[in-house]
Amino acid sequence: MIVLGIESSCDETAAALVTEDRHILADLVAAQLEDHRPYGGVVPEVAARAHLDRLDKLVGQAMREAGIGFVEVDAVAATGGPGLIGGVIVGVMTAKAIALVHDKPFIAVNHLEGHALTARLTDDTPFPYLLLLVSGGHCQLLVVEGVGRYRRLGATIDDAAGEAFDKAAKLLGLGYPGGPSIERAARAATQPVMDLPRPMKGRAELNFSFSGLKTALRHKMEELGALDDDARANLAAGFQIAAVESLVDRTRRAIVAARASHPTLSALVVAGGVAANSVLRAELESCARDARLGFVAPPLRLCTDNAAMIAWAGLERFRLGEESPLDFAPRPRWPLDETAPKLAGAGVKA
Ligand code: KG4
Ligand code: ZN
């Protein structure tokens, strides 16, 4: 079985082909960093136009790289939400057109499910597992019980983790996107600023919060006045330590809760763009080790937005006999656990 996947929900245009035996035949990502850099963040209209310009060529290129024709494709999957609606429409319409012309099933995939199931593409991770999903738009802890079966344990009540890194970087005058530039700056720190808050640390409920940390960083900067490179590096490192500590504290508690409800929990999995952070990965790995739990962190290029994860999630659904109608309407909001309360970082924010 071979599935074509398309991703266009944020600022990455992506197309990929994956097989049922977990081979990635092609995995192309055209980032739009240069289109958005002048604005210091993703501009939805700019993103939608860039997807429209690039997506058809990228699909063609993926097909050539995989060395197959559409006759050999079994289904066409595209991100159907959540995300920036203009971009999602471009991807969904492209996938529907290909499906219609070549008489293939179309599958609308929840972008978050793509991140959530990546560990099964890369590591064949068995259900159930605990997922820490940390990206620019999302920050949540979920028990992944099966395809389409997610139990949310906690989510952010304000900013997503990646959003917090992006805002902190902007405050510090570091480059966009913020996560990688904070991590880079932090490496040069001589004396990380340690008196920033660790939001929610020690709290029994499993939610996250990052807006207070951002405010504390701003106050600290005001206190210090003009910043040289050394001061900036120390602040970046301090912010990173605080954010990671908060994420890891929540995760540690979530492992206990998840084990109580799911005794066969197989692993701690981290996914989403912030999973690219090496300090976070190292801390989570030791957290899993302490709990005698497997640890799965997909390779960096499969942590950030990509289409291989969309193709894979589509494949998992397709082999269970599912497909989507051609009148599927893109969903700007689409939480993984529809029963959980609406919180900012849980797929309810466009
Ligand atoms: O999953 P992703 O590619 O896009 C979505 O938000 O869906 O995640 C992008 C986010 C950005 O906020 C970016 O700053 C953050 O992931 N990020 C990082 C790192 N690399 C990317 N955050 C912290 N450390 C990193 N090394
Ligand atoms: Zn994402």
Side-chain angles (χ1 to χ4, degrees):
M1 194 185 285
I2 299 179
V3 174
L4 167 66
I6 287 173
E7 157 61 32
S8 58
S9 66
C10 192
D11 60 341
E12 262 95 25
T13 315
L17 287 144
V18 304
T19 70
E20 191 174 12
D21 50 3
R22 305 192 295 119
H23 287 300
I24 299 177
L25 303 179
D27 177 21
L28 301 177
V29 180
Q32 304 174 2
L33 282 179
E34 296 318 314
D35 303 84
H36 301 287
R37 201 184 297 281
Y39 310 99
V42 178
V43 182
E45 181 61 23
V46 172
R49 283 168 191 271
H51 290 305
L52 195 57
D53 272 350
R54 292 168 200 173
L55 187 53
D56 57 340
K57 293 172 209 88
L58 207 65
V59 170
Q61 201 182 328
M63 296 297 293
R64 281 193 297 282
E65 239 175 61
I68 59 167
F70 283 111
V71 277
E72 288 149 280
V73 171
D74 294 279
V76 185
T79 297
L84 303 173
I85 193 66
V88 176
I89 290 173
V90 172
V92 164
M93 291 309 288
T94 305
K96 283 179 180 176
I98 295 170
L100 192 63
V101 168
H102 298 282
D103 196 21
K104 306 288 178 185
F106 160 71
I107 302 156
V109 169
N110 183 318
H111 177 87
L112 303 175
E113 181 164 72
H115 282 303
L117 298 179
T118 301
R120 293 169 55 76
L121 167 64
T122 58
D123 292 79
D124 208 8
T125 309
F127 299 123
Y129 51 85
L130 176 66
L131 173 73
L132 172 67
L133 176 54
V134 273
S135 71
H138 306 281
C139 184
Q140 47 187 318
L141 280 158
L142 297 149
V143 178
V144 181
E145 299 173 335
V147 178
R149 288 173 48 211
Y150 307 94
R151 285 286 153 263
R152 200 183 77 199
L153 302 181
T156 184
I157 57 170
D158 42 56
D159 293 348
E163 193 178 359
F165 272 90
D166 292 337
K167 287 179 177 172
K170 208 166 182 173
L171 278 175
L172 288 168
L174 298 167
Y176 160 83
S181 65
I182 294 238
E183 186 171 3
R184 209 174 312 117
R187 278 198 204 105
T190 49
Q191 209 169 3
V193 174
M194 294 307 285
D195 57 347
L196 293 171
R198 275 69 173 140
M200 310 299 268
K201 190 170 175 183
R203 296 268 277 270
E205 98 219 49
L206 292 169
N207 291 334
F208 302 88
S209 166
F210 290 101
S211 71
L213 174 57
K214 178 192 61 193
T215 308
L217 177 69
R218 195 173 31 143
H219 288 159
K220 197 83 201 169
M221 287 173 67
E222 282 159 9
E223 213 177 288
L224 294 174
L227 300 180
D228 58 15
D229 284 351
D230 189 45
R232 205 171 277 121
N234 289 335
L235 283 165
F239 171 85
Q240 180 171 257
I241 291 167
V244 167
E245 220 175 288
S246 171
L247 287 165
V248 172
D249 173 72
R250 316 281 69 213
T251 306
R252 212 177 273 283
R253 273 174 184 269
I255 290 176
V256 176
R259 270 237 174 95
S261 55
H262 298 77
T264 57
L265 200 72
S266 72
L268 168 64
V269 174
V270 62
V274 183
N277 188 284
S278 57
V279 178
L280 178 63
R281 286 164 93 97
E283 290 293 322
L284 288 174
E285 187 166 10
S286 85
C287 175
R289 200 183 315 120
D290 292 349
R292 298 183 189 284
L293 201 59
F295 177 64
V296 179
L300 297 191
R301 64 169 292 122
L302 294 177
C303 278
T304 49
D305 287 349
N306 65 88
M309 70 178 190
I310 302 304
W312 177 257
L315 194 149
E316 290 240 36
R317 284 198 171 261
F318 183 57
R319 69 181 174 190
L320 293 174
E322 285 184 39
E323 57 178 281
S324 307
L326 279 179
D327 64 357
F328 168 86
R331 294 182 61 174
R333 292 150 201 270
W334 189 356
L336 275 183
D337 181 351
E338 308 252 12
T339 64
K342 289 183 171 48
L343 287 177
V348 292
K349 199 167 89 172

